């Protein structure tokens, strides 16, 4: 028997996934439309995300705890808050200190 609660009842989880895919069209984290024809390795493919993560006591089979997200958005969120994921999506990458140009004096 699997120890992961998402797969203990695989049939029920698959039914919930189908229901979420049918009900929603927009990513709950970034607000962009989700292309449901893309398959799993693609970063913009559809995934079912738990609002309260399973690792923090959320129920993976409850309708009121799941929503549609992009794979990339769901990976950025991980087991953190939506605000954290949105901040990760909107932040601009900062150059590392070692990649800054070094100006030397000519004298």
């Amino acid at each position: 028997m699997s120890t992961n609660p998402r797969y203990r009842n695989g049939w029920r989880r698959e039914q919930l996934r189908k229901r979420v895919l049918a009900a929603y069209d927009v990513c709950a984290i970034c607000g962009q439309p989700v292309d449901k024809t893309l398959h799993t390795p693609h970063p913009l493919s559809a995934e079912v995300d738990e609002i309260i993560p399973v690792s923090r006591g959320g129920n993976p089979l409850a309708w009121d705890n799941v929503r549609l997200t992009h794979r990339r958005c769901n990976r950025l969120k991980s087991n953190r808050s939506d605000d954290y994921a949105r901040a990760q999506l909107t932040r601009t990458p900062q150059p590392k200190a070692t990649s800054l140009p070094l100006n030397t004096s000519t004298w």
Side-chain angles (χ1 to χ4, degrees):
M1 185 170 172
S2 177
T3 58
N4 188 339
R6 287 182 194 90
Y7 303 115
R8 277 194 197 133
N9 192 340
W11 181 84
R12 188 168 167 208
R13 178 69 181 186
E14 187 58 34
Q15 295 302 311
L16 183 64
R17 177 178 160 72
K18 288 178 184 176
R19 191 172 161 200
V20 168
L21 288 172
Y24 300 113
D25 293 322
V26 177
C27 176
I29 295 174
C30 71
Q32 298 297 316
V34 177
D35 185 359
K36 298 175 189 175
T37 61
L38 298 174
H39 295 289
T40 299
H42 196 281
L44 296 177
S45 64
E47 276 197 359
V48 175
D49 173 45
E50 290 92 14
I51 298 169
I52 301 171
V54 175
S55 65
R56 297 187 184 228
N59 182 357
L61 301 175
W63 171 252
D64 59 347
N65 192 40
V66 294
R67 72 250 177 106
L68 184 67
T69 62
H70 291 114
R71 180 177 174 85
R72 176 175 180 256
C73 298
N74 196 16
R75 295 294 180 247
L76 284 172
K77 178 181 175 274
S78 186
N79 67 345
R80 298 178 184 95
S81 69
D82 288 352
D83 294 332
Y84 174 83
R86 287 185 188 105
Q88 294 297 313
L89 285 170
T90 58
R91 77 179 178 109
T92 56
Q94 300 295 320
K96 294 181 182 175
T98 58
S99 65
L100 295 174
L102 180 63
N103 296 327
T104 59
S105 175
T106 57
W107 53 282

